[in-house]
Each structure stands twice: as C-alpha cells, then as structure tokens.
Amino acid sequence: MSFDAFTGGIDPGGLRTQSDIRLLICYLLASVGAPLSKNDIVTILQGNGLANYFETADALSEMLEKGNADTLPDQPDLCVANDTTREIADRLDTVLPPAVRERAVSAALNLLARAQREKENKVEIQKQENGYRVTCHISGGQEDLLSFSLLVPDMHQAKMVKKNFHQDPEHIYQVLLSLVTGDRTLWPS
C-alpha cells in the first residue's frame, strides 16, 4: 500500500492516506451527531495520534469545499454531518480499523462531555489585590446547588483549580456534601 499523507506525529495504526483521513472525519461527524469545531476535529485526530495535523486540516477543508460535510450557517467554524457525510460513513466505515474509529469517537464524546460540564458549571476568576479569587458554581439546572470561592496566589493556580473543577464537579459536590453532613454513605467510592 502506498501512503500519500505526511506521517509525522502519527502513532502506529494511525492513518497514512488522505482518503482514510477524510473517511474518518465523515465517520466522526456522523457518529457523534453534534457539531464539532474545525479545531476540535483536528485536535481529536492529531492529539490521539490518528492523523497528521496538516493532513487533517487539508482533508477537512477539502471536504467542506466539496460539500461532503457542512458548517452551521450562523457558526461557520462548526462542522456537521450532512446526507453525503452519513452515506460515506455508512458505506465505507469498515475500511477503517475498529480501534481507530473507536478512539476517534471516544475522544470526541469526551470533548463534548467536557464542554457540557463547563457550560453547566461555571468558574469565574477575578484578580484581587492579594491574588486571584476563583468562584466555582455547581449547577442544579436553573440555579446553583453549590458555589464556593478560593483565594489563590497566582493565575497559574487559578487556572489549575478551574481545570480540575471541570473534570468532575459532581464528585466535588458529593465529597463536600458528605463532609458537611457527616454522612459517609454519600462518600463516592
């Protein structure tokens, strides 16, 4: 088999042909069923060692130009599957190794879940005279179930608190509720 794509940064088992990269993008968009930004698509493939950054960006641009995928009219950076995307994915998905398909979809779903957690559970960082105030909000729908503030000495630590909070706000809520109520049955296992 001859490869026609740059292979820099690709893990063993990653994609080395332009047609495979385009096919994986189709499969990804069709499987996720939600808009993904162009940057997210490139990050998912490149960040997981599935395809070269430049090849992925070129493949995505070509697909959009040819109508093999669409962007949202009001948000041209967000890509979505169209009928052609789904048809290509349905017909040719078995061409791609199952591990490649699963790794790409899993990474996309994790990215979408993280974005949803960040949207629902806000973090505010405010500069203060003696550091940064980080206020974390755990949402219960229309109102906060819990909010708390921490004062940290620098922006690096403020960003670290924000990142770690967004990884699992539900766990933080369970631990704090368990501690303040004294009910160890609430303690996550």
Side-chain angles (χ1 to χ4, degrees):
M1 170 180 247
S2 89
F3 302 130
D4 63 357
F6 292 116
T7 59
I10 300 174
D11 290 346
L15 305 179
R16 290 171 167 71
T17 68
Q18 294 171 358
S19 62
D20 283 351
I21 294 168
R22 288 189 296 272
L23 178 55
L24 183 58
I25 294 170
C26 287
Y27 182 81
L28 182 64
L29 288 171
S31 297
V32 171
L36 291 172
S37 75
K38 295 172 185 177
N39 186 53
D40 288 343
I41 293 168
V42 171
T43 300
I44 289 166
L45 271 60
Q46 189 261 331
N48 286 281
L50 297 171
N52 178 278
Y53 173 90
F54 299 107
E55 295 292 345
T56 303
D58 286 347
L60 183 56
S61 292
E62 181 181 322
M63 289 175 59
L64 293 170
E65 284 175 22
K66 290 182 176 181
N68 293 332
D70 290 333
T71 58
L72 295 178
D74 57 336
Q75 293 178 296
D77 188 53
L78 292 179
C79 301
V80 293
N82 59 25
D83 291 340
T84 304
T85 313
R86 286 185 280 280
E87 184 179 334
I88 292 169
D90 287 344
R91 283 179 161 182
L92 301 173
D93 72 341
T94 57
V95 170
L96 297 172
V100 169
R101 295 189 315 251
E102 290 168 12
R103 199 165 35 166
V105 171
S106 176
L109 293 175
N110 286 336
L111 186 136
L112 291 170
R114 186 184 81 225
Q116 186 67 27
R117 280 192 309 271
E118 290 176 9
K119 180 180 173 188
E120 292 174 354
N121 301 286
K122 302 286 184 200
V123 176
E124 301 158 354
I125 299 174
Q126 297 172 325
K127 172 86 171 112
Q128 302 212 320
E129 192 174 302
N130 53 347
Y132 289 84
R133 169 100 25 220
V134 182
T135 304
C136 302
H137 302 269
I138 297 176
S139 174
Q142 296 295 343
E143 58 185 281
D144 285 350
L145 289 176
L146 172 75
S147 63
F148 61 91
S149 292
L150 301 169
L151 183 64
V152 296
D154 57 43
M155 181 56 93
H156 175 73
Q157 287 186 27
K159 288 180 179 179
M160 188 183 333
V161 168
K162 179 179 179 176
K163 177 184 171 211
N164 289 330
F165 171 77
H166 276 142
Q167 286 180 354
D168 197 354
E170 296 84 9
H171 185 233
I172 292 169
Y173 179 76
Q174 286 179 326
V175 169
L176 286 173
L177 186 61
S178 177
L179 288 171
V180 298
T181 63
D183 185 353
R184 295 296 177 186
T185 61
L186 297 174
W187 195 265
S189 38

PDB file of all heavy atoms in Angstrom, residues 80-104:
ATOM      1  N   VAL A  80     -20.823  19.912  10.723  1.00  0.00           N
ATOM      2  CA  VAL A  80     -21.860  18.908  10.982  1.00  0.00           C
ATOM      3  C   VAL A  80     -21.927  17.938   9.812  1.00  0.00           C
ATOM      4  O   VAL A  80     -21.530  18.261   8.689  1.00  0.00           O
ATOM      5  CB  VAL A  80     -23.251  19.552  11.201  1.00  0.00           C
ATOM      6  CG1 VAL A  80     -23.289  20.359  12.485  1.00  0.00           C
ATOM      7  CG2 VAL A  80     -23.639  20.412  10.016  1.00  0.00           C
ATOM      8  N   ALA A  81     -22.467  16.774  10.098  1.00  0.00           N
ATOM      9  CA  ALA A  81     -22.671  15.775   9.047  1.00  0.00           C
ATOM     10  C   ALA A  81     -23.881  16.174   8.219  1.00  0.00           C
ATOM     11  O   ALA A  81     -24.854  16.703   8.732  1.00  0.00           O
ATOM     12  CB  ALA A  81     -22.894  14.403   9.677  1.00  0.00           C
ATOM     13  N   ASN A  82     -23.786  15.929   6.925  1.00  0.00           N
ATOM     14  CA  ASN A  82     -24.948  16.073   6.048  1.00  0.00           C
ATOM     15  C   ASN A  82     -25.261  14.687   5.482  1.00  0.00           C
ATOM     16  O   ASN A  82     -24.667  13.693   5.892  1.00  0.00           O
ATOM     17  CB  ASN A  82     -24.702  17.128   4.963  1.00  0.00           C
ATOM     18  CG  ASN A  82     -23.508  16.813   4.082  1.00  0.00           C
ATOM     19  OD1 ASN A  82     -23.111  15.662   3.919  1.00  0.00           O
ATOM     20  ND2 ASN A  82     -22.921  17.851   3.500  1.00  0.00           N
ATOM     21  N   ASP A  83     -26.190  14.600   4.541  1.00  0.00           N
ATOM     22  CA  ASP A  83     -26.551  13.291   3.979  1.00  0.00           C
ATOM     23  C   ASP A  83     -25.357  12.611   3.315  1.00  0.00           C
ATOM     24  O   ASP A  83     -25.179  11.398   3.450  1.00  0.00           O
ATOM     25  CB  ASP A  83     -27.702  13.437   2.975  1.00  0.00           C
ATOM     26  CG  ASP A  83     -29.010  13.804   3.652  1.00  0.00           C
ATOM     27  OD1 ASP A  83     -29.132  13.569   4.878  1.00  0.00           O
ATOM     28  OD2 ASP A  83     -29.910  14.335   2.967  1.00  0.00           O
ATOM     29  N   THR A  84     -24.527  13.395   2.626  1.00  0.00           N
ATOM     30  CA  THR A  84     -23.341  12.837   1.967  1.00  0.00           C
ATOM     31  C   THR A  84     -22.362  12.284   2.998  1.00  0.00           C
ATOM     32  O   THR A  84     -21.808  11.196   2.824  1.00  0.00           O
ATOM     33  CB  THR A  84     -22.653  13.905   1.089  1.00  0.00           C
ATOM     34  OG1 THR A  84     -23.601  14.421   0.165  1.00  0.00           O
ATOM     35  CG2 THR A  84     -21.456  13.343   0.361  1.00  0.00           C
ATOM     36  N   THR A  85     -22.161  13.026   4.075  1.00  0.00           N
ATOM     37  CA  THR A  85     -21.257  12.581   5.149  1.00  0.00           C
ATOM     38  C   THR A  85     -21.709  11.235   5.695  1.00  0.00           C
ATOM     39  O   THR A  85     -20.912  10.302   5.838  1.00  0.00           O
ATOM     40  CB  THR A  85     -21.247  13.606   6.311  1.00  0.00           C
ATOM     41  OG1 THR A  85     -21.091  14.918   5.808  1.00  0.00           O
ATOM     42  CG2 THR A  85     -20.156  13.296   7.314  1.00  0.00           C
ATOM     43  N   ARG A  86     -22.996  11.147   6.002  1.00  0.00           N
ATOM     44  CA  ARG A  86     -23.538   9.912   6.576  1.00  0.00           C
ATOM     45  C   ARG A  86     -23.470   8.752   5.580  1.00  0.00           C
ATOM     46  O   ARG A  86     -23.170   7.616   5.955  1.00  0.00           O
ATOM     47  CB  ARG A  86     -24.969  10.146   7.058  1.00  0.00           C
ATOM     48  CG  ARG A  86     -25.021  10.964   8.350  1.00  0.00           C
ATOM     49  CD  ARG A  86     -26.441  11.100   8.885  1.00  0.00           C
ATOM     50  NE  ARG A  86     -27.193  12.127   8.200  1.00  0.00           N
ATOM     51  CZ  ARG A  86     -27.091  13.432   8.443  1.00  0.00           C
ATOM     52  NH1 ARG A  86     -26.268  13.852   9.365  1.00  0.00           N
ATOM     53  NH2 ARG A  86     -27.810  14.300   7.769  1.00  0.00           N
ATOM     54  N   GLU A  87     -23.727   9.032   4.309  1.00  0.00           N
ATOM     55  CA  GLU A  87     -23.658   7.988   3.286  1.00  0.00           C
ATOM     56  C   GLU A  87     -22.234   7.448   3.156  1.00  0.00           C
ATOM     57  O   GLU A  87     -22.018   6.238   3.100  1.00  0.00           O
ATOM     58  CB  GLU A  87     -24.147   8.519   1.941  1.00  0.00           C
ATOM     59  CG  GLU A  87     -24.184   7.471   0.855  1.00  0.00           C
ATOM     60  CD  GLU A  87     -24.688   8.019  -0.466  1.00  0.00           C
ATOM     61  OE1 GLU A  87     -25.437   9.006  -0.468  1.00  0.00           O
ATOM     62  OE2 GLU A  87     -24.293   7.451  -1.505  1.00  0.00           O
ATOM     63  N   ILE A  88     -21.264   8.350   3.118  1.00  0.00           N
ATOM     64  CA  ILE A  88     -19.855   7.927   3.028  1.00  0.00           C
ATOM     65  C   ILE A  88     -19.492   7.096   4.251  1.00  0.00           C
ATOM     66  O   ILE A  88     -18.878   6.029   4.136  1.00  0.00           O
ATOM     67  CB  ILE A  88     -18.924   9.158   2.893  1.00  0.00           C
ATOM     68  CG1 ILE A  88     -19.130   9.837   1.539  1.00  0.00           C
ATOM     69  CG2 ILE A  88     -17.467   8.764   3.100  1.00  0.00           C
ATOM     70  CD1 ILE A  88     -18.456  11.203   1.419  1.00  0.00           C
ATOM     71  N   ALA A  89     -19.868   7.567   5.429  1.00  0.00           N
ATOM     72  CA  ALA A  89     -19.546   6.854   6.665  1.00  0.00           C
ATOM     73  C   ALA A  89     -20.200   5.471   6.693  1.00  0.00           C
ATOM     74  O   ALA A  89     -19.559   4.485   7.071  1.00  0.00           O
ATOM     75  CB  ALA A  89     -19.970   7.670   7.876  1.00  0.00           C
ATOM     76  N   ASP A  90     -21.454   5.393   6.288  1.00  0.00           N
ATOM     77  CA  ASP A  90     -22.167   4.103   6.297  1.00  0.00           C
ATOM     78  C   ASP A  90     -21.560   3.095   5.318  1.00  0.00           C
ATOM     79  O   ASP A  90     -21.428   1.921   5.634  1.00  0.00           O
ATOM     80  CB  ASP A  90     -23.646   4.296   5.946  1.00  0.00           C
ATOM     81  CG  ASP A  90     -24.431   4.936   7.076  1.00  0.00           C
ATOM     82  OD1 ASP A  90     -23.927   4.954   8.216  1.00  0.00           O
ATOM     83  OD2 ASP A  90     -25.545   5.422   6.804  1.00  0.00           O
ATOM     84  N   ARG A  91     -21.212   3.569   4.145  1.00  0.00           N
ATOM     85  CA  ARG A  91     -20.693   2.669   3.108  1.00  0.00           C
ATOM     86  C   ARG A  91     -19.277   2.188   3.376  1.00  0.00           C
ATOM     87  O   ARG A  91     -18.925   1.064   3.045  1.00  0.00           O
ATOM     88  CB  ARG A  91     -20.696   3.365   1.757  1.00  0.00           C
ATOM     89  CG  ARG A  91     -22.027   3.444   1.111  1.00  0.00           C
ATOM     90  CD  ARG A  91     -21.791   4.157  -0.138  1.00  0.00           C
ATOM     91  NE  ARG A  91     -22.734   4.060  -1.174  1.00  0.00           N
ATOM     92  CZ  ARG A  91     -22.550   4.644  -2.337  1.00  0.00           C
ATOM     93  NH1 ARG A  91     -21.433   5.313  -2.563  1.00  0.00           N
ATOM     94  NH2 ARG A  91     -23.445   4.574  -3.268  1.00  0.00           N
ATOM     95  N   LEU A  92     -18.458   3.074   3.935  1.00  0.00           N
ATOM     96  CA  LEU A  92     -17.024   2.787   3.993  1.00  0.00           C
ATOM     97  C   LEU A  92     -16.447   2.641   5.391  1.00  0.00           C
ATOM     98  O   LEU A  92     -15.232   2.514   5.537  1.00  0.00           O
ATOM     99  CB  LEU A  92     -16.259   3.881   3.240  1.00  0.00           C
ATOM    100  CG  LEU A  92     -16.622   4.052   1.767  1.00  0.00           C
ATOM    101  CD1 LEU A  92     -15.923   5.271   1.186  1.00  0.00           C
ATOM    102  CD2 LEU A  92     -16.262   2.810   0.969  1.00  0.00           C
ATOM    103  N   ASP A  93     -17.285   2.664   6.420  1.00  0.00           N
ATOM    104  CA  ASP A  93     -16.721   2.645   7.765  1.00  0.00           C
ATOM    105  C   ASP A  93     -15.902   1.395   8.059  1.00  0.00           C
ATOM    106  O   ASP A  93     -14.975   1.421   8.846  1.00  0.00           O
ATOM    107  CB  ASP A  93     -17.799   2.863   8.828  1.00  0.00           C
ATOM    108  CG  ASP A  93     -18.724   1.676   9.011  1.00  0.00           C
ATOM    109  OD1 ASP A  93     -18.776   0.830   8.112  1.00  0.00           O
ATOM    110  OD2 ASP A  93     -19.393   1.625  10.062  1.00  0.00           O
ATOM    111  N   THR A  94     -16.188   0.286   7.413  1.00  0.00           N
ATOM    112  CA  THR A  94     -15.428  -0.944   7.671  1.00  0.00           C
ATOM    113  C   THR A  94     -14.025  -0.899   7.074  1.00  0.00           C
ATOM    114  O   THR A  94     -13.199  -1.760   7.382  1.00  0.00           O
ATOM    115  CB  THR A  94     -16.178  -2.177   7.127  1.00  0.00           C
ATOM    116  OG1 THR A  94     -16.427  -1.997   5.736  1.00  0.00           O
ATOM    117  CG2 THR A  94     -17.492  -2.392   7.876  1.00  0.00           C
ATOM    118  N   VAL A  95     -13.751   0.105   6.233  1.00  0.00           N
ATOM    119  CA  VAL A  95     -12.405   0.273   5.682  1.00  0.00           C
ATOM    120  C   VAL A  95     -11.433   0.663   6.799  1.00  0.00           C
ATOM    121  O   VAL A  95     -10.267   0.262   6.788  1.00  0.00           O
ATOM    122  CB  VAL A  95     -12.409   1.346   4.563  1.00  0.00           C
ATOM    123  CG1 VAL A  95     -11.004   1.720   4.144  1.00  0.00           C
ATOM    124  CG2 VAL A  95     -13.242   0.881   3.383  1.00  0.00           C
ATOM    125  N   LEU A  96     -11.933   1.417   7.766  1.00  0.00           N
ATOM    126  CA  LEU A  96     -11.086   1.876   8.864  1.00  0.00           C
ATOM    127  C   LEU A  96     -11.016   0.822   9.965  1.00  0.00           C
ATOM    128  O   LEU A  96     -12.019   0.166  10.267  1.00  0.00           O
ATOM    129  CB  LEU A  96     -11.658   3.166   9.465  1.00  0.00           C
ATOM    130  CG  LEU A  96     -11.725   4.364   8.529  1.00  0.00           C
ATOM    131  CD1 LEU A  96     -12.493   5.496   9.198  1.00  0.00           C
ATOM    132  CD2 LEU A  96     -10.335   4.822   8.145  1.00  0.00           C
ATOM    133  N   PRO A  97      -9.859   0.659  10.587  1.00  0.00           N
ATOM    134  CA  PRO A  97      -9.750  -0.287  11.702  1.00  0.00           C
ATOM    135  C   PRO A  97     -10.698   0.106  12.844  1.00  0.00           C
ATOM    136  O   PRO A  97     -10.831   1.292  13.159  1.00  0.00           O
ATOM    137  CB  PRO A  97      -8.286  -0.162  12.148  1.00  0.00           C
ATOM    138  CG  PRO A  97      -7.573   0.471  10.997  1.00  0.00           C
ATOM    139  CD  PRO A  97      -8.586   1.310  10.278  1.00  0.00           C
ATOM    140  N   PRO A  98     -11.346  -0.865  13.471  1.00  0.00           N
ATOM    141  CA  PRO A  98     -12.262  -0.550  14.572  1.00  0.00           C
ATOM    142  C   PRO A  98     -11.608   0.261  15.690  1.00  0.00           C
ATOM    143  O   PRO A  98     -12.237   1.159  16.257  1.00  0.00           O
ATOM    144  CB  PRO A  98     -12.693  -1.932  15.090  1.00  0.00           C
ATOM    145  CG  PRO A  98     -12.483  -2.853  13.938  1.00  0.00           C
ATOM    146  CD  PRO A  98     -11.327  -2.288  13.166  1.00  0.00           C
ATOM    147  N   ALA A  99     -10.355  -0.025  16.005  1.00  0.00           N
ATOM    148  CA  ALA A  99      -9.671   0.702  17.076  1.00  0.00           C
ATOM    149  C   ALA A  99      -9.542   2.183  16.743  1.00  0.00           C
ATOM    150  O   ALA A  99      -9.674   3.038  17.621  1.00  0.00           O
ATOM    151  CB  ALA A  99      -8.299   0.100  17.336  1.00  0.00           C
ATOM    152  N   VAL A 100      -9.299   2.509  15.487  1.00  0.00           N
ATOM    153  CA  VAL A 100      -9.183   3.905  15.054  1.00  0.00           C
ATOM    154  C   VAL A 100     -10.538   4.594  15.178  1.00  0.00           C
ATOM    155  O   VAL A 100     -10.645   5.703  15.710  1.00  0.00           O
ATOM    156  CB  VAL A 100      -8.649   3.991  13.606  1.00  0.00           C
ATOM    157  CG1 VAL A 100      -8.785   5.396  13.042  1.00  0.00           C
ATOM    158  CG2 VAL A 100      -7.191   3.538  13.564  1.00  0.00           C
ATOM    159  N   ARG A 101     -11.591   3.933  14.703  1.00  0.00           N
ATOM    160  CA  ARG A 101     -12.941   4.504  14.794  1.00  0.00           C
ATOM    161  C   ARG A 101     -13.322   4.747  16.250  1.00  0.00           C
ATOM    162  O   ARG A 101     -13.813   5.819  16.615  1.00  0.00           O
ATOM    163  CB  ARG A 101     -13.959   3.579  14.131  1.00  0.00           C
ATOM    164  CG  ARG A 101     -13.767   3.419  12.643  1.00  0.00           C
ATOM    165  CD  ARG A 101     -14.928   2.681  11.984  1.00  0.00           C
ATOM    166  NE  ARG A 101     -15.373   1.494  12.682  1.00  0.00           N
ATOM    167  CZ  ARG A 101     -15.190   0.252  12.258  1.00  0.00           C
ATOM    168  NH1 ARG A 101     -14.561   0.025  11.119  1.00  0.00           N
ATOM    169  NH2 ARG A 101     -15.638  -0.775  12.944  1.00  0.00           N
ATOM    170  N   GLU A 102     -13.101   3.752  17.085  1.00  0.00           N
ATOM    171  CA  GLU A 102     -13.482   3.860  18.491  1.00  0.00           C
ATOM    172  C   GLU A 102     -12.693   4.937  19.216  1.00  0.00           C
ATOM    173  O   GLU A 102     -13.261   5.686  20.024  1.00  0.00           O
ATOM    174  CB  GLU A 102     -13.287   2.509  19.188  1.00  0.00           C
ATOM    175  CG  GLU A 102     -14.287   1.466  18.737  1.00  0.00           C
ATOM    176  CD  GLU A 102     -13.934   0.050  19.191  1.00  0.00           C
ATOM    177  OE1 GLU A 102     -13.038  -0.108  20.054  1.00  0.00           O
ATOM    178  OE2 GLU A 102     -14.551  -0.886  18.664  1.00  0.00           O
ATOM    179  N   ARG A 103     -11.402   5.037  18.933  1.00  0.00           N
ATOM    180  CA  ARG A 103     -10.572   6.050  19.601  1.00  0.00           C
ATOM    181  C   ARG A 103     -11.016   7.450  19.215  1.00  0.00           C
ATOM    182  O   ARG A 103     -11.103   8.336  20.064  1.00  0.00           O
ATOM    183  CB  ARG A 103      -9.095   5.826  19.249  1.00  0.00           C
ATOM    184  CG  ARG A 103      -8.158   6.489  20.203  1.00  0.00           C
ATOM    185  CD  ARG A 103      -6.732   6.018  20.113  1.00  0.00           C
ATOM    186  NE  ARG A 103      -6.266   5.670  18.798  1.00  0.00           N
ATOM    187  CZ  ARG A 103      -5.004   5.492  18.472  1.00  0.00           C
ATOM    188  NH1 ARG A 103      -4.069   5.613  19.393  1.00  0.00           N
ATOM    189  NH2 ARG A 103      -4.644   5.167  17.252  1.00  0.00           N
ATOM    190  N   ALA A 104     -11.337   7.664  17.945  1.00  0.00           N
ATOM    191  CA  ALA A 104     -11.773   8.988  17.481  1.00  0.00           C
ATOM    192  C   ALA A 104     -13.121   9.363  18.090  1.00  0.00           C
ATOM    193  O   ALA A 104     -13.298  10.480  18.582  1.00  0.00           O
ATOM    194  CB  ALA A 104     -11.847   9.013  15.957  1.00  0.00           C
TER     195      ALA A 104
END
